[in-house]
Amino acid sequence: MEEIEHLKKYLLTVHPVRKSAAQKADFRQWLLRELKRAGWKAHEETYGKFNGSVNVVAGDPERAELFLCAHYDTGSRMLVPNFVSPTNVAAHVCYHAAAALALVAAAFLLSFAVSFPINQPKLMLPLFLILAVAELGIAAYGPANRSNANGNSSGVLALLAAAREAGFDRRVCLVFLDNNEKTLLGASAFRKRHGEQAAKRLFVNLDCVGDGEHLLLIPSKHSRWDSALLEALEAAFPEGEELRPHVLARGLQYYPSDGRKFRFHVNLCACRYLAGLGYYIPRLRTKRDTVLREENIAYIVRSLARFLPEYLDGNA
C-alpha cells in the first residue's frame, strides 16, 4: 500500500496531464525507468506521423499469451461532463445525444444572435457551421483537463503496481496505450502491428478503476463464452475485500475503451451505483476528477496477481 501511495503521489503531482507531445514524452521516460526497476524490459513503439501514437510495451508481444493494458494519455476539458454507464446503454446514448443537441442548439442561437441584429441572414449558416466545428475541435483538441485522477491515471497506476507485484513473466505483455482520447488510435495501431497475436490473445484493459465501490469486469462477446476465463475471474476477484466485483457475462453492456479494438478482451472499470440508473462513472474530463482510491488499486493488484497464474496455467 505504501508503494501504491508513493506512485500515486508522483503520478498526480509530476505527470497529472499527459496530452501534449512533450508531456507524454516526459511521462514515458519516467514510466520506462519504473518498469525497468520492476524487472520488465520495456520499449516505445511508434507508428508514424499519420497515426501519431507512441505506446510503451513491456515484454514480448509476439510471444505473450496474455496482455494487460491501460491508456496513459489524458483528454481536453469537455464543454459538458462526460458520462459513462456501462450497463445502462439507453441512458448512455440518450445523455450523449442530448449533449450533442444542446451544443448544436447553442451554436444555432449564437449565430442567430450575431446575424439578426445586423440584418445579415446569409451570415447565419456559415457562422453556425464554424461554431459547430469549433465545438467539436474544443472537445478533441481544446485546453487540457487538469484533473485526471480516475481517467486514466488510475489505470496507469494499477498496471504499473501490478507489474511490480507480479514480477516479470514472459507469458505476459504490458501495453501502455496512447491516444485513447483520439478514437483509440494507440490500440488500433498496436492491433495492426501485432495482428496475429492481437486476434487470438486475451487483453485485460484497465480504464477508470479509481473512483467507485463496484468493480465491473466486462468480457467481450467473444470472451464471455470462455468458461475457463470466467472461472478464473471469479476466483481471482473475490467478494469481501475493498471492492465489490461483478463479472458481467450476460446482457447488454457498452464500455467505450481500448478493449473494444481487440476480439478477446475484458474491460475493468470501477463504478458507483444509483437505483434506477445502475452503474455509472462520475466526473470524467472535468475539474472534479480528483478521486483515486488507493484501496481500489490494492485490490486490483492483488487480484491480477491471483488471476495471471490461474488463467495462464489453466490454458497451458
Side-chain angles (χ1 to χ4, degrees), residues 103-132 135:
L103 293 176
V104 168
F108 176 82
L109 291 174
L110 186 56
S111 62
F112 179 81
V114 172
S115 60
F116 181 77
I118 60 176
N119 196 27
Q120 293 291 331
K122 294 182 179 179
L123 180 64
M124 186 171 176
L125 179 59
L127 184 58
F128 167 75
L129 294 175
I130 290 171
L131 290 172
E135 288 174 346

Side-chain angles (χ1 to χ4, degrees), residues 160-229:
L160 183 54
R164 286 190 171 191
E165 176 70 20
F168 173 72
D169 188 329
R170 68 184 63 201
R171 300 173 297 175
V172 178
C173 182
L174 314 178
V175 189
F176 294 83
L177 295 163
D178 192 8
N179 282 334
N180 166 277
E181 303 293 347
K182 295 181 180 178
T183 64
L184 314 180
L185 285 176
S188 297
F190 187 86
R191 181 186 64 184
K192 185 176 181 180
R193 179 166 296 185
H194 306 283
E196 184 177 351
Q197 283 288 82
K200 65 183 182 181
R201 300 303 187 190
L202 176 68
F203 285 74
V204 178
N205 179 51
L206 309 173
D207 194 356
C208 300
V209 294
D211 186 4
E213 302 77 27
H214 299 268
L215 183 68
L216 305 189
L217 299 97
I218 311 174
S220 67
K221 64 181 180 180
H222 301 287
S223 296
R224 60 172 57 185
W225 307 110
D226 185 343
S227 58
L229 168 62

Side-chain angles (χ1 to χ4, degrees), residues 5 48-49 67 70 81 136 142 149 173 210 227 247 288 300 304 306 311:
E5 181 182 3
K49 291 184 178 180
F67 293 81
L136 292 175
C173 182
S227 58
V247 179
R288 298 177 61 208
I300 291 169
L304 286 175
R306 292 186 289 248
Y311 178 77

Side-chain angles (χ1 to χ4, degrees), residues 7-8 31 63 134-135 162 204 207 252 271 282:
L7 288 172
K8 170 189 170 182
L31 178 61
R63 296 183 178 181
E135 288 174 346
V204 178
D207 194 356
L252 177 64
C271 292

